[in-house]
Amino acid sequence: MAKNQDTASVLAFEKKLVPSDGYMYGNQWEERNNSASQTALQLIEKSVRGTISNRLDKATKGDPVKLNAKVESPNLQTVDSCALAPEQDTLKLHFTLKVLGGVQKPSACNNALFKESYTQAVNSYIEKEGFKELGKRYALNLANARFLWRNRVGAENIEVQVNALNKDSKQSWVFDATQFSTRHFNIDDKQVVELGERIAAALSSEDDFLMLEINCFVQVGKAQEVYPSEELVLDKGKGKKSKILYCVNDIAAMHSQKLGNALRSIDTWYPEFEDAEKSAGPIAIEPYGAVTNLGKAYRTPKDKQDFYTFFDKWARGTELERIEDEHYVMAILVRGGVFGESDK
């Protein structure tokens, strides 16, 4: 089949893992299952006087008078913060996650030949693998509470409660997140496997879904600061807040995008993962393996390890050398996105 005959210039996939925003509440560890004793956490606005800590220009470095003048200049800031009440020691993060099927069909595709070969490739993967590996990894990222991000650090206890809300198949799991690593997925915990199988079944289906409710309790200590998502404000303006945190209806919250990024941080198949000095641990599933906080792409077209190199071959019927590469391609499709190709 000639490439220009099966090129889809319009190609898009809807995301199949759909988290809600995460809402933050305060409570006491012994009362964590008593919703009546919890209170919604609200943002606190602070005005602080900071010191100059940025790098100085050469002229200021060599002139003590200029340096003293800089140090004397107040660095006034208004920032948002969030903390537990004095009597509370436990953060509760609540969100839901919908797992959708239907990866067999793109949401948009303008080439029938490509769509046919793509559907055959997906059905072959589902028949062979059934999303079991991906389902287990998504389940483990729920069990280990990776979605807490900075709130996970320094916690004495972390309990994750997951409830399947589908009417005909309700089920519950409880995990001690401190017992699960965030550095690898070599775990065969019975509950993780069970939850992973439910996620895999939904992803493998043509039109089914799985609705999960997640309640995570984190014992961080009385009156301790907690960390909602920070808003990206491109034009803060002079005199305005230098840090703006996210809230919904006056409840401190985490962005659904941030939760989703944590759940899809399952890529341990990129080339540098096994190199202890260069590895970034499991990274989020991205077409080029981009890790923005490190300023690096771990899957480059030059090394032929990026999504498009694999996808263009696999979707046209060519079998990939490693099953791990197929897992990666399918995880990108679960992530969703626009992947059209020019026929030029």
Side-chain angles (χ1 to χ4, degrees):
M1 187 184 294
K3 186 173 180 179
N4 61 357
Q5 292 179 333
D6 67 338
T7 296
S9 59
V10 177
L11 182 64
F13 298 88
E14 296 172 347
K15 60 183 176 183
K16 304 304 179 185
L17 293 181
V18 189
S20 70
D21 284 337
Y23 299 91
M24 306 178 86
Y25 302 87
N27 208 338
Q28 294 177 328
W29 182 256
E30 293 76 14
E31 296 290 323
R32 63 187 181 279
N33 291 312
N34 180 9
S35 57
S37 65
Q38 72 183 23
T39 57
L41 295 181
Q42 297 182 328
L43 302 183
I44 307 163
E45 190 174 287
K46 293 181 178 180
S47 295
V48 296
R49 184 182 190 277
T51 58
I52 300 297
S53 57
N54 57 292
R55 287 182 182 270
L56 302 172
D57 56 51
K58 290 183 178 180
T60 306
K61 278 183 183 179
D63 189 336
V65 176
K66 288 185 177 180
L67 178 57
N68 288 336
K70 281 274 189 183
V71 170
E72 288 174 3
S73 300
N75 182 19
L76 304 178
Q77 301 177 46
T78 302
V79 298
D80 279 340
S81 66
C82 186
L84 299 173
E87 71 279 4
Q88 296 174 338
D89 67 353
T90 298
L91 164 68
K92 174 186 174 182
L93 180 68
H94 168 79
F95 66 98
T96 58
L97 174 67
K98 186 178 285 187
V99 184
L100 302 173
V103 74
Q104 299 90 334
K105 297 178 181 178
S107 58
C109 179
N110 66 346
N111 188 294
L113 289 174
F114 179 87
K115 187 176 181 181
E116 182 181 352
S117 64
Y118 163 79
T119 301
Q120 289 175 354
V122 172
N123 287 332
S124 175
Y125 176 86
I126 291 174
E127 184 179 339
K128 183 171 55 177
E129 297 294 327
F131 277 103
K132 288 183 180 178
E133 180 62 26
L134 298 189
K136 173 189 166 185
R137 290 182 176 227
Y138 295 136
L140 188 52
N141 277 344
L142 289 173
N144 65 21
R146 188 189 296 275
F147 51 81
L148 288 173
W149 292 95
R150 191 176 175 186
N151 295 295
R152 196 182 189 280
V153 179
E156 186 174 349
N157 291 295
I158 306 175
E159 182 176 282
V160 182
Q161 300 175 3
V162 182
N163 302 307
L165 302 180
N166 298 52
K167 289 183 179 179
D168 56 344
S169 55
K170 291 187 177 181
Q171 199 172 354
S172 297
W173 302 267
V174 179
F175 303 100
D176 178 356
T178 62
Q179 300 304 306
F180 298 99
S181 173
T182 59
R183 300 292 298 177
H184 64 82
F185 295 93
N186 302 323
I187 294 173
D188 292 316
D189 179 82
K190 181 181 177 182
Q191 286 200 106
V192 170
V193 171
E194 200 174 67
L195 176 57
E197 287 174 349
R198 290 291 301 272
I199 294 173
L203 291 173
S204 299
S205 70
E206 291 191 7
D207 58 3
D208 202 359
F209 72 96
L210 174 65
M211 188 71 183
L212 299 175
E213 176 190 54
I214 295 93
N215 291 304
C216 181
F217 302 93
V218 194
Q219 190 176 15
V220 295
K222 288 187 175 181
Q224 280 293 302
E225 186 173 8
V226 295
Y227 305 99
S229 290
E230 185 172 351
E231 296 281 55
L232 175 61
V233 182
L234 298 177
D235 182 18
K236 295 179 181 177
K238 189 173 181 180
K240 295 185 178 179
K241 278 194 282 191
S242 59
K243 182 167 74 171
I244 300 174
L245 299 181
Y246 184 54
C247 69
V248 180
N249 296 326
D250 291 328
I251 302 175
M254 296 183 74
H255 291 147
S256 59
Q257 290 85 351
K258 190 163 188 173
L259 299 176
N261 184 280
L263 296 179
R264 58 185 171 83
S265 291
I266 63 169
D267 187 2
T268 59
W269 308 302
Y270 62 96
E272 295 178 8
F273 177 75
E274 299 297 337
D275 188 329
E277 293 183 0
K278 297 180 180 179
S279 175
I283 63 175
I285 290 293
E286 295 287 349
Y288 298 110
V291 181
T292 54
N293 62 312
L294 298 179
K296 182 168 182 177
Y298 283 90
R299 290 180 170 274
T300 64
K302 181 181 178 182
D303 296 329
K304 300 187 184 301
Q305 293 295 314
D306 64 299
F307 166 70
Y308 295 100
T309 298
F310 293 135
F311 182 70
D312 289 347
K313 293 187 292 186
W314 175 82
R316 293 185 172 92
T318 302
E319 190 170 332
L320 301 180
E321 293 182 7
R322 304 189 309 156
I323 189 59
E324 290 83 0
D325 296 333
E326 288 192 36
H327 292 328
Y328 166 67
V329 169
M330 292 305 297
I332 290 281
L333 300 177
V334 169
R335 165 193 178 272
V338 179
F339 307 119
E341 179 186 7
S342 172
D343 57 3
K344 293 180 181 179

